Amino acid sequence: MIWSRIRNYLIGFSQSDRIINRIANSKPIRESARITAYSIIRITDTIKKKKLEFEREGGHEKLKQVTKDDLKKGFEIAKELITYDIPETVKKIIRDLNPKNRPRRD
């Protein structure tokens, strides 16, 4: 009884192994594996090229400076939009709400 179960298990395993090999050798699976390998190789090559270009152009220091400049420009644009769109009364209310402008209560 035990031997028949072991034999059936081993035979089933060998049959499933053959099925897996047959599926792996099928044309759609081979084509998808080829496309996947090609994509991975192209992506790694592109990443390497872009990394070299980034380092040649100044690397992280240039990126930091560009980011700071962009933030300054963004804050200037935001200040202009806020001061242009808000009426004077709202500006006064905002100034009064600021803790620095509140009268002290000792």
Side-chain angles (χ1 to χ4, degrees):
M1 174 127 173
I2 293 175
W3 294 110
S4 63
R5 285 188 180 179
I6 292 173
R7 183 176 50 99
N8 289 339
Y9 175 76
L10 292 175
I11 290 172
F13 181 72
S14 65
Q15 287 177 352
S16 65
D17 193 32
R18 276 187 252 143
I19 292 170
I20 291 170
N21 285 335
R22 181 181 278 170
I23 292 171
N25 290 329
S26 66
K27 188 173 181 176
I29 299 296
R30 285 185 301 177
E31 287 296 319
S32 63
R34 186 177 295 131
I35 291 170
T36 303
Y38 175 76
S39 301
I40 290 171
I41 290 171
R42 285 289 304 259
I43 289 169
T44 54
D45 288 343
T46 305
I47 288 171
K48 288 176 185 177
K49 288 178 185 176
K50 294 291 183 181
K51 187 176 178 183
L52 287 173
E53 289 175 13
F54 177 73
E55 289 172 355
R56 276 190 222 131
E57 292 176 355
H60 294 287
E61 294 303 320
K62 183 177 179 184
L63 181 64
K64 286 180 188 177
Q65 188 61 40
V66 169
T67 306
K68 285 180 183 177
D69 294 343
D70 288 346
L71 275 172
K72 286 180 184 177
K73 287 178 187 176
F75 281 127
E76 290 173 5
I77 291 170
K79 284 179 185 177
E80 289 176 12
L81 289 174
I82 289 171
T83 56
Y84 180 75
D85 290 336
I86 297 177
E88 275 303 312
T89 54
V90 176
K91 287 183 192 176
K92 184 178 183 293
I93 292 170
I94 292 173
R95 274 194 302 260
D96 292 343
L97 290 176
N98 190 351
K100 292 180 183 176
N101 298 329
R102 288 185 192 159
R104 294 177 69 183
R105 296 181 184 170
D106 292 330

